[in-house]
Amino acid sequence: ADLETVRRKVLGTLPGALAKVRLSAAEQVDGVVQEESMPGVTATDLAGRLLKAHGVLTEGLVERSVEAKLLLLAALSGEHLFLLGPPGTAKSLLARRLAKVCQGSFFERLLTRFTVPEEVFGPLSLKALENDELRRKVEGFLPDSDVAFLDEVFKANSSILNALLALLNERVFDNGGSRIDVPLWCTVAASNDLPES
């Protein structure tokens, strides 16, 4: 068996959400799905698809090739990316285009010190509250997205940052009394400047 097949088998046997996310990321970027129906996909085919994805990310942009390559690398490895730069340098556009390339759901939010968890993780379910349960309706919010863009991440308050830890690192979200796996496989965090110490 080739190296890619072995890697996929190993990822498929690992427990936890992160292994599933990495396997999903390896299968989704720009339709690069190496299932049994596509056994003849070669390294040249893969390189061509990555070049096409890079072209989609950088179309119409000037001097954003490095950032696009970093974003593709992060997506392929199931990791996240932090972009630092002034306003208007295509940070959010690259994240939106990654969701398009990957054909995944997209979540975007500008974080401030006044951002409340409902804006990021979803509103509380009123039906659950009637049953004395504290559960969120996560559909359409960060715990339900494949690709996310969190702008001005350093300006978020501590309740948002603490809740993001498990979601970003372990790909799980504590929703009421249950811990759910999230499909998130690449988050782009951005800031216009570094935090003041």
Side-chain angles (χ1 to χ4, degrees), residues 8 27 31-42 45 49:
R8 286 177 190 277
E27 292 174 346
V32 180
V33 181
Q34 293 189 347
E35 298 174 347
E36 290 75 27
S37 63
M38 295 178 58
V41 175
T42 66
D45 296 335
R49 291 178 182 181

Side-chain angles (χ1 to χ4, degrees), residues 59-119:
E59 182 181 350
L61 300 178
V62 178
E63 296 183 3
R64 289 292 157 253
S65 180
V66 171
E67 289 83 355
K69 288 176 183 175
L70 288 170
L71 190 53
L72 282 174
L73 179 62
L76 284 170
S77 61
E79 294 296 337
H80 308 294
L81 181 67
F82 173 72
L83 296 174
L84 177 68
T89 54
K91 298 183 294 289
S92 62
L93 180 62
L94 284 169
R96 273 186 233 109
R97 287 184 178 178
L98 177 66
K100 178 182 170 186
V101 165
C102 301
Q103 302 171 356
S105 60
F106 181 69
F107 176 81
E108 179 177 2
R109 191 67 70 224
L110 171 66
L111 302 177
T112 69
R113 62 184 173 153
F114 303 111
T115 302
V116 294
E118 287 76 12
E119 295 177 64

Side-chain angles (χ1 to χ4, degrees), residues 15-171:
L18 187 55
K20 291 175 190 171
V21 165
R22 287 198 171 138
L23 181 60
S24 175
E27 292 174 346
Q28 289 183 13
V29 171
D30 192 31
V32 180
V33 181
Q34 293 189 347
E35 298 174 347
E36 290 75 27
S37 63
M38 295 178 58
V41 175
T42 66
T44 304
D45 296 335
L46 183 58
R49 291 178 182 181
L50 287 173
L51 282 173
K52 181 181 173 190
H54 182 266
V56 170
L57 289 177
T58 59
E59 182 181 350
L61 300 178
V62 178
E63 296 183 3
R64 289 292 157 253
S65 180
V66 171
E67 289 83 355
K69 288 176 183 175
L70 288 170
L71 190 53
L72 282 174
L73 179 62
L76 284 170
S77 61
E79 294 296 337
H80 308 294
L81 181 67
F82 173 72
L83 296 174
L84 177 68
T89 54
K91 298 183 294 289
S92 62
L93 180 62
L94 284 169
R96 273 186 233 109
R97 287 184 178 178
L98 177 66
K100 178 182 170 186
V101 165
C102 301
Q103 302 171 356
S105 60
F106 181 69
F107 176 81
E108 179 177 2
R109 191 67 70 224
L110 171 66
L111 302 177
T112 69
R113 62 184 173 153
F114 303 111
T115 302
V116 294
E118 287 76 12
E119 295 177 64
V120 179
F121 306 110
L124 292 173
S125 169
L126 296 179
K127 288 188 179 191
L129 282 175
E130 288 176 355
N131 297 327
D132 290 332
E133 295 177 23
L134 190 60
R135 193 171 62 238
R136 296 188 179 279
K137 296 176 71 173
V138 297
E139 294 80 18
F141 290 89
L142 183 60
D144 187 45
S145 64
D146 296 313
V147 177
F149 179 72
L150 300 176
D151 200 8
E152 295 301 334
V153 70
F154 293 132
K155 295 182 180 173
N157 58 52
S158 62
S159 68
I160 299 290
L161 293 175
N162 288 333
L164 282 173
L165 283 175
L167 201 144
L168 294 177
N169 291 330
E170 301 172 32
R171 307 309 200 282

